[in-house]
Amino acid sequence: MIEIKDVSKIYHTGGEETVALDHVSLKINDGEFVAIVGPSGSGKSTMMHILGALDNPTTGQYLIDGQDVAKLKDDQLAKMRKNKIGFVFQAFNLLPRATVMRNVTLPLIYAGAPQKEREQKATAALAAAGLDKSKYNNHSNQLSGGQMQRVAIARALVNDPSLILADEPTGNLDSKTSHTIMTTLQALNKKGHTIVLITHELDIAAYASRVISIRDGKLEHDRKNK
Amino acid sequence: MSITDLFSETFWALTGNKIRTALTILGIVIGIGSVITMVAIGQGSQAAIENSIAAIGSNLLIVTPGAQRGAGGFSAGRGSARTLTQADADAIKSTVTNTSGVAPELTSRYQIAAKGQNTNTSVTGTVPDYLTVRNVQIATGTFFADSQVSSDAKVAILGPTTVTDLYGTADPVGQTIRIRNIDFQVIGTTVAKGGTGFNNPDDIVYIPISTAQRFLSGGTYVSQISIAAKTQKVMSDVQQQITALLDQRHKITSSATADFSVINQADIAGAATSTTNTLTLLLASTAGISLFVGGIGIMNMMLTSVTERTREIGLRKAIGATNGDISRQFLMEAIMLTFIGGAIGVGLGWAAALALKQFANVSTQISITSIIAAFAVSAVVGIIFGYYPARRASLLKPIEALRYE
Ligand SMILES: Nc1ncnc2c1ncn2[C@@H]1O[C@H](COP(=O)(O)OP(=O)(O)OP(=O)(O)O)[C@@H](O)[C@H]1O
Ligand SMILES: [Mg+2]
């Protein structure tokens, strides 16, 4: 279970303050499939980074399985990111000079999986993300936006994390591929993975069992899908 | 992260950006290579000068004629005067104590012919004492004896360079050479002393001084007198005795009007040492500057990649790398870079020093200290500037590192 308690995030840039999150509290249980929606600049990505333990809130608490993330040591955080969390960045953040294969196997290097297993897992993850086999040895900066997106998704899935956080995972995909990806995520959710994704599209949000909407850094709605 | 993965990541990072890697390595190579070469030149010339000082003899004093003062008071320059005579040499030999040898010399350049070969070389008339006084060794045959000096014998001993010029690789002992149309029988050759250029000590012909005076120069003057003192300690005493004796013989009352001078080996060595010290210092500072420039190059390459690498560090942390994983990876990269660059630099510097010795006739001497110092400096610079920015970036929150501009 993950829980944020009264979390605010304030950015200071050139003397100006931006309140990206404004006293948000939220609880997500294991096995939930949550979609976060909201207009651009409303604080969705900011919240995702906090949920992924990639950033700290300015005030408030973030608990993963009852543990206060702010109190964890760097190495414990690294372990958590490695074993529990798979993150799909809105900007992909692939290593530009590395091949697709290398990008996807990268998390497994830190997890210490044997060489053979790495390739198998990466191939499975890439297949689940729907990337054409002919691209596996391309450098990631030689891919289209949609292909990069699939590599970013595969990298998040490869470690079989219990919590998958995806920041607009279908933003660059056509509707057919988007639905394939969503079906994959739904299947993972059925197997027990907790999934939180950000989207702008209502038909993508429809795959989730719960939809949370954010506006100006505040929670607007929080409702169950039937 | 396992060791294999660490190496594989390092290899990937270094081959992934070949230009950056090559430039960094180049900076290290130039820094280390130039230091090693320059220090090798400095030390080599110092050793060469020390050798040639030892080769001129030990506990040596040399009396040279002073400048001859003409009627108008003009000076023809030191050593030009014909004020030293055979009688001076004989007087030194008989009255000055604590000497182990006195060798007057009469040296001039002549054209020498032998079996159709010709060379212009220095002919030194002297006495058998010359061998011990000037540290000359016989390679083949013999040197002439005192009796041959008394009898004005027409015999000659050749230096190795002269042998090569006249006879190539053949043995000249028993052959005849002609100096100013006078036949001399070659009775020996000397061992090479080393040295090059105009004052090559191996390009020489020795003949008895009496023969030189009688047949070549005509007169009893000598061009210089070399004296070996028995020990280092008595050198200044011997020098004083010689000065007093010659002052008396030449009726000199003040040192300003002296028509001779007595130089002692320590003065020559002292002057030469200070020259080589200056040379070494000059080369070392040039080398220091190249090492500094090389260091800045390394630092620059390491730091310029920091933006790109900071994002990479952010990403690696986001997918589970620990701070230790990041530190180890970047430390390994920096070590690899400096190690490869260092090895090439040591190799090239060494090769350059050897090549200079082989092909440019510059005496060089590889110094292990300079290798270690050059290697250490570039390793420290490379590792600090490769490691610390990475270490700092690894302490950022992943999202901050990913946003780094
Ligand atoms: N590093 C930062 N420094 C300063 N301001 C920031 C930073 N990151 C985000 N912001 C600001 O915080 C607010 C929320 O940004 P966030 O990226 O969370 O929006 P979002 O909901 O993900 O928008 P989008 O749908 O366009 O991705 C915005 O006003 C943005 O300008
Ligand atoms: Mg966003």
Side-chain angles (χ1 to χ4, degrees):
Chain A
M1 188 187 67
I2 58 180
E3 182 176 12
I4 53 180
K5 284 186 182 166
D6 203 22
V7 158
S8 296
K9 180 75 184 180
I10 298 159
Y11 292 110
H12 300 269
T13 37
E16 257 184 64
E17 274 194 2
T18 311
V19 183
L21 287 178
D22 193 0
H23 301 282
V24 178
S25 294
L26 181 67
K27 219 187 249 189
I28 297 172
N29 287 315
D30 287 347
E32 273 197 273
F33 190 162
V34 181
I36 297 175
V37 297
S40 184
S42 55
K44 305 184 294 294
S45 293
T46 303
M47 183 151 92
M48 221 38 165
H49 295 151
I50 290 170
L51 293 179
L54 302 175
D55 207 357
N56 277 349
T58 311
T59 59
Q61 263 190 328
Y62 174 40
L63 309 173
I64 298 183
D65 297 332
Q67 259 185 324
D68 188 346
V69 169
K71 291 204 177 102
L72 291 179
K73 298 216 170 60
D74 275 2
D75 279 3
Q76 291 171 302
L77 276 173
K79 204 169 163 192
M80 180 134 42
R81 292 181 200 124
K82 179 161 69 186
N83 299 329
K84 282 196 182 168
I85 303 171
F87 205 101
V88 183
F89 290 95
Q90 191 169 14
F92 316 141
N93 289 323
L94 303 177
L95 287 186
R97 264 187 285 270
T99 61
V100 165
M101 213 23 143
R102 191 167 195 100
N103 266 290
V104 179
T105 48
L106 203 56
L108 299 173
I109 288 176
Y110 295 110
Q115 189 66 43
K116 223 175 161 190
E117 195 182 312
R118 289 182 200 169
E119 301 241 326
Q120 284 168 359
K121 282 190 170 178
T123 310
L126 282 163
L131 185 75
D132 196 273
K133 270 204 171 64
S134 65
K135 300 286 174 194
Y136 287 8
N137 288 313
N138 279 31
H139 279 205
S140 65
N141 51 1
Q142 298 163 339
L143 300 176
S144 73
Q147 288 163 342
M148 287 193 211
Q149 179 118 60
R150 282 178 259 201
V151 177
I153 293 169
R155 186 179 60 194
L157 301 182
V158 75
N159 230 1
D160 204 23
S162 52
L163 175 62
I164 296 169
L165 302 168
D167 197 344
E168 302 210 27
T170 59
N172 287 275
L173 301 177
D174 56 80
S175 73
K176 185 165 168 268
T177 323
S178 300
H179 288 290
T180 318
I181 295 281
M182 290 317 294
T183 317
T184 308
L185 289 178
Q186 213 165 31
L188 285 167
N189 177 242
K190 290 239 164 67
K191 281 201 271 171
H193 296 258
T194 311
I195 294 174
V196 182
L197 68 84
I198 293 175
T199 183
H200 276 115
E201 294 151 78
L202 289 176
D203 57 338
I204 296 298
Y207 281 90
S209 53
R210 179 179 168 193
V211 179
I212 294 167
S213 71
I214 298 186
R215 185 176 294 272
D216 295 334
K218 291 194 183 75
L219 279 194
E220 206 183 27
H221 304 291
D222 184 350
R223 59 169 196 274
K224 294 262 188 273
N225 269 353
K226 272 155 275 156
Chain B
M1 181 155 56
S2 72
I3 288 285
T4 337
D5 286 328
L6 185 57
F7 273 106
S8 138
E9 286 300 296
T10 307
F11 180 78
W12 171 77
L14 295 186
T15 51
N17 197 337
K18 293 197 179 65
I19 293 180
R20 178 166 62 88
T21 305
L23 286 176
T24 312
I25 289 179
L26 187 68
I28 302 172
V29 167
I30 291 174
I32 294 191
S34 55
V35 170
I36 291 174
T37 315
M38 306 237 194
V39 173
I41 294 174
Q43 300 227 324
S45 47
Q46 198 153 12
I49 288 174
E50 276 163 16
N51 270 341
S52 57
I53 288 170
I56 62 175
S58 44
N59 304 331
L60 183 67
L61 290 153
I62 298 175
V63 185
T64 56
Q68 193 172 34
R69 297 201 183 268
F74 72 88
S75 166
R78 181 186 296 269
S80 63
R82 297 185 164 186
T83 52
L84 282 181
T85 62
Q86 183 67 38
D88 289 328
D90 294 341
I92 292 172
K93 186 156 183 147
S94 55
T95 44
V96 174
T97 56
N98 283 332
T99 63
S100 60
V102 176
E105 294 161 45
L106 176 56
T107 302
S108 225
R109 292 189 79 85
Y110 294 101
Q111 198 68 26
I112 300 190
K115 267 200 184 160
Q117 292 296 320
N118 246 293
T119 182
N120 185 283
T121 186
S122 167
V123 176
T124 294
T126 186
V127 297
D129 262 5
Y130 189 88
L131 288 183
T132 49
V133 174
R134 295 304 291 264
N135 208 2
V136 174
Q137 270 147 16
I138 293 297
T140 60
T142 54
F143 206 71
F144 48 79
D146 282 321
S147 61
Q148 287 166 305
V149 176
S150 319
S151 65
D152 303 348
K154 287 176 211 148
V155 291
I157 288 88
L158 308 186
T161 306
T162 315
V163 173
T164 317
D165 289 348
L166 293 177
Y167 297 98
T169 53
D171 183 10
V173 174
Q175 306 283 329
T176 303
I177 56 169
R178 286 174 79 79
I179 309 171
R180 282 184 109 194
N181 283 326
I182 300 163
D183 283 347
F184 283 79
Q185 197 195 0
V186 179
I187 59 166
T189 61
T190 61
V191 171
K193 283 189 159 202
T196 47
F198 186 69
N199 269 325
N200 183 352
D202 294 332
D203 187 11
I204 197 162
V205 174
Y206 299 106
I207 60 172
I209 190 163
S210 51
T211 316
Q213 286 165 343
R214 181 164 156 203
F215 297 107
L216 301 181
S217 67
T220 60
Y221 69 90
V222 299
S223 34
Q224 64 176 30
I225 305 169
S226 301
I227 300 108
K230 274 202 175 114
T231 62
Q232 172 107 42
K233 273 198 206 131
V234 300
M235 276 185 78
S236 56
D237 168 53
V238 173
Q239 185 168 7
Q240 273 163 19
Q241 287 187 59
I242 294 169
T243 310
L245 176 70
L246 292 181
D247 277 350
Q248 184 209 332
R249 287 178 54 83
H250 293 199
K251 307 193 171 53
I252 307 292
T253 47
S254 111
S255 63
T257 59
D259 58 359
F260 67 91
S261 46
V262 186
I263 312 162
N264 96 40
Q265 196 180 7
D267 299 340
I268 306 172
T273 308
S274 74
T275 314
T276 46
N277 280 349
T278 313
L279 178 73
T280 309
L281 193 69
L282 187 80
L283 288 169
S285 40
T286 317
I289 291 169
S290 13
L291 193 57
F292 184 72
V293 172
I296 291 188
I298 302 167
M299 183 176 98
N300 216 10
M301 290 316 298
M302 294 290 192
L303 289 179
T304 42
S305 63
V306 109
T307 309
E308 185 192 308
R309 303 311 295 279
T310 300
R311 292 211 193 98
E312 181 187 330
I313 289 169
L315 172 73
R316 285 176 186 273
K317 285 200 71 173
I319 60 174
T322 61
N323 298 351
D325 287 332
I326 303 286
S327 300
R328 273 191 294 278
Q329 184 190 338
F330 280 77
L331 188 61
M332 186 62 132
E333 274 182 36
I335 289 174
M336 281 293 197
L337 277 177
T338 45
F339 196 83
I340 296 170
I344 300 176
V346 169
L348 278 186
W350 200 309
L354 288 182
L356 279 174
K357 192 176 199 162
Q358 198 72 33
F359 304 115
N361 226 334
V362 176
S363 41
T364 55
Q365 203 171 64
I366 308 281
S367 142
I368 298 297
T369 324
S370 76
I371 293 181
I372 294 171
F375 203 98
V377 169
S378 52
V380 165
V381 173
I383 289 167
I384 288 178
F385 290 98
Y387 174 76
Y388 271 96
R391 175 75 195 161
R392 219 178 43 213
S394 81
L395 297 176
L396 294 174
K397 290 268 142 212
I399 214 71
E400 286 166 20
L402 276 166
R403 272 204 205 102
Y404 190 87
E405 292 298 338

